Amino acid sequence: MLHCCVIIPTYNNAKTLDRVLRGVLSYTNQLIIVNDGATDATPLILEDYKDRCTIITFEQNRGKGVALREGFKKASEMGFDYAITIDSDGQHYPSDLPLFIEALENHTTEEPLLLIGSRKMDDPSVPGKSSFGNKFSNFWFYVETGIQLTDTQSGFRLYPLKAIDTLRLYTTKFELEIEVIVKLAWRGAVVRNLPIRVLYDEKERVSHFRPFQDFSRISVLNTWLFTLTLLWYGPKRIVQRFQKKGFRRFIKEDILRSTDSPLKKSAAIALGIFIGIAPFWGLQTLLALTLATALKLNRTIAFICSNISIPPMIPFIIYGSAQLGRFATGQSMDLTLDIETITTGADILQGLTYYIIGSFILATVSALLFGSISYLYLNKTKSKHESRDA
């Protein structure tokens, strides 16, 4: 009824493969196995399953990303809507499959569902490098999507195939699992963690993750995704949320009622105002989202306030900055905007100097003023709500 299958990509995991396959087949025979060019006993093991499963075989190893993409493609061709992926190295328990099915059955919204198994990463059996890599991946996923997860690297997942069919995927190795979840989140998929068990048996488990090469590839991917987030998807998400909720509801839910304290909200306002007025033309969005993320401030508030330099405001900001700059440098406040008075390059440079100095002064004063006023207002509003709730 759910049109869900299981996909197992495998490469040189002969020690654990048979156990994993038997475990999955005890729950479903809707199983696609992708042999990613294995050179061990994997082909012999798969001979026993060729009549019960769909098997795809690569002549040479092409990478987990390619194996997953081929598995997704085959599953879609077979008419499945969802696919659960499970690694063949024995770390996952096939007995956790019903957890994914139950979560899928309980999913009621129209948005596609993406579930990622959440391992208990503080377990003593979990290798230190795996725990660090997971925290690193979780951080960048949050920066790129605004969604907080406890595990973004687990290979035990439920994927929405129709949504994946609409994506342009470029990566071929382990980093594909990051590319997919980020791009699905950008498309509005519901992305959640699902607690699962994990087994790290160093006597049986074979990991093909290459620390330097694969970490470098993942870092390059995150750099690209982060750039896209700053330039397009971050602002787009904020605008879409604003359009969907309307002005009053957006202000009420995303700003006034967010879980941040009044101090953090007002700090985000001050940051946005400062960046919007300071002479960072063309970089306001980049700086607002980057600094808000680094300082753990509300990115939505910082982004909105950084747009204070909208076209109608630009002449006033430039004129006010130039006047303040002249005043700060001891010059006369009698500023003329007659272009005929500009006769040399020195005049242009001097005027630019006045503007830059004044804009930083105006940005600082405005940030402090709006930040202080907003803090007093938000703190008063919070006190009213607390009194009402009491």
Side-chain angles (χ1 to χ4, degrees), residues 279-293:
F280 300 125
W281 301 109
L283 298 174
Q284 284 98 336
T285 297
L286 174 68
L287 289 173
L289 293 177
T290 301
L291 292 176
T293 299

Side-chain angles (χ1 to χ4, degrees), residues 5-6 17-33 44-55 78 80:
C5 68
V6 175
L17 178 60
D18 185 65
R19 170 161 53 88
V20 173
L21 294 179
R22 283 187 283 108
V24 172
L25 285 171
S26 67
Y27 289 92
T28 179
N29 60 358
Q30 306 297 335
L31 175 58
I32 300 172
I33 307 166
L44 295 176
I45 295 172
L46 295 181
E47 276 292 317
D48 294 335
Y49 294 92
K50 63 181 181 181
D51 296 328
R52 290 178 283 173
C53 311
T54 300
I55 300 177
M78 294 173 67
F80 293 107

Side-chain angles (χ1 to χ4, degrees), residues 143-207:
V143 170
E144 292 153 4
T145 66
I147 301 172
Q148 287 188 317
L149 296 179
T150 57
D151 194 343
T152 52
Q153 290 194 317
S154 171
F156 207 169
R157 308 179 178 197
L158 181 139
Y159 287 101
L161 295 175
K162 290 182 179 179
I164 289 178
D165 289 341
T166 66
L167 301 179
R168 289 185 179 181
L169 301 173
Y170 301 98
T171 53
T172 60
K173 306 294 184 181
F174 288 96
E175 68 273 16
L176 178 102
E177 293 177 304
I178 296 174
E179 183 185 11
V180 169
I181 63 174
V182 171
K183 289 185 175 180
L184 284 177
W186 285 348
R187 294 290 183 91
V190 176
V191 185
R192 298 206 318 261
N193 276 134
L194 189 67
I196 60 170
R197 294 169 295 165
V198 64
L199 172 65
Y200 284 97
D201 188 342
E202 296 302 328
K203 295 179 181 180
E204 290 187 333
R205 181 173 179 265
V206 178
S207 175

Side-chain angles (χ1 to χ4, degrees), residues 301-345:
I301 295 176
F303 168 74
I304 292 174
C305 292
S306 70
N307 284 277
I308 189 174
S309 55
I310 55 177
M313 295 293 296
I314 290 176
F316 299 101
I317 292 175
I318 293 177
Y319 181 78
S321 297
Q323 288 282 43
L324 282 173
R326 291 176 66 87
F327 176 76
T329 55
Q331 301 298 315
S332 170
M333 295 285 285
D334 184 19
L335 176 65
T336 176
L337 298 180
D338 188 356
I339 196 169
E340 294 180 358
T341 62
I342 302 176
T343 57
T344 66

Side-chain angles (χ1 to χ4, degrees), residues 22-287:
R22 283 187 283 108
V24 172
L25 285 171
S26 67
Y27 289 92
T28 179
N29 60 358
Q30 306 297 335
L31 175 58
I32 300 172
I33 307 166
V34 184
N35 175 9
D36 188 16
T39 57
D40 59 0
T42 293
L44 295 176
I45 295 172
L46 295 181
E47 276 292 317
D48 294 335
Y49 294 92
K50 63 181 181 181
D51 296 328
R52 290 178 283 173
C53 311
T54 300
I55 300 177
I56 302 172
T57 300
F58 297 161
E59 293 299 324
Q60 294 181 333
N61 178 251
R62 298 171 64 183
K64 187 178 183 181
V66 176
L68 286 172
R69 286 162 65 175
E70 287 299 314
F72 295 150
K73 180 180 177 182
K74 186 64 176 179
S76 293
E77 291 174 352
M78 294 173 67
F80 293 107
D81 294 330
Y82 283 89
I84 300 173
T85 61
I86 181 171
D87 292 339
S88 64
D89 60 2
Q91 68 167 293
H92 301 140
Y93 288 82
S95 55
D96 282 337
L97 282 169
L99 299 176
F100 289 87
I101 298 301
E102 182 181 359
L104 181 57
E105 288 176 331
N106 293 331
H107 182 62
T108 57
T109 65
E110 296 181 356
E111 290 80 8
L113 176 65
L114 170 62
L115 295 174
I116 303 175
S118 178
R119 301 161 293 176
K120 191 176 180 181
M121 300 305 294
D122 57 354
D123 190 286
S125 66
V126 177
K129 61 182 180 181
S130 296
S131 180
F132 169 78
N134 189 56
K135 291 178 180 178
F136 177 84
S137 180
N138 294 348
F139 169 77
W140 283 111
F141 181 76
Y142 170 69
V143 170
E144 292 153 4
T145 66
I147 301 172
Q148 287 188 317
L149 296 179
T150 57
D151 194 343
T152 52
Q153 290 194 317
S154 171
F156 207 169
R157 308 179 178 197
L158 181 139
Y159 287 101
L161 295 175
K162 290 182 179 179
I164 289 178
D165 289 341
T166 66
L167 301 179
R168 289 185 179 181
L169 301 173
Y170 301 98
T171 53
T172 60
K173 306 294 184 181
F174 288 96
E175 68 273 16
L176 178 102
E177 293 177 304
I178 296 174
E179 183 185 11
V180 169
I181 63 174
V182 171
K183 289 185 175 180
L184 284 177
W186 285 348
R187 294 290 183 91
V190 176
V191 185
R192 298 206 318 261
N193 276 134
L194 189 67
I196 60 170
R197 294 169 295 165
V198 64
L199 172 65
Y200 284 97
D201 188 342
E202 296 302 328
K203 295 179 181 180
E204 290 187 333
R205 181 173 179 265
V206 178
S207 175
H208 302 291
F209 186 86
R210 301 164 299 175
F212 178 76
Q213 297 97 320
D214 290 315
F215 187 78
S216 297
R217 295 171 71 96
I218 290 172
S219 297
V220 171
L221 173 64
N222 277 319
T223 300
W224 173 240
L225 294 175
F226 178 59
T227 302
L228 291 178
T229 299
L230 292 176
L231 298 180
W232 177 246
Y233 288 99
K236 181 182 177 182
R237 281 202 310 271
I238 294 173
V239 172
Q240 287 178 334
R241 199 154 64 237
F242 178 82
Q243 292 175 335
K244 182 178 180 180
K245 295 183 177 182
F247 178 78
R248 293 185 63 182
R249 184 182 167 196
F250 179 82
I251 294 297
K252 185 177 181 180
E253 294 182 2
D254 290 70
I255 298 180
L256 297 179
R257 292 285 181 86
S258 74
T259 57
D260 290 338
S261 66
L263 180 60
K264 293 195 72 172
K265 290 177 187 176
S266 58
I269 292 172
L271 174 66
I273 293 293
F274 178 84
I275 292 173
I277 295 177
F280 300 125
W281 301 109
L283 298 174
Q284 284 98 336
T285 297
L286 174 68
L287 289 173

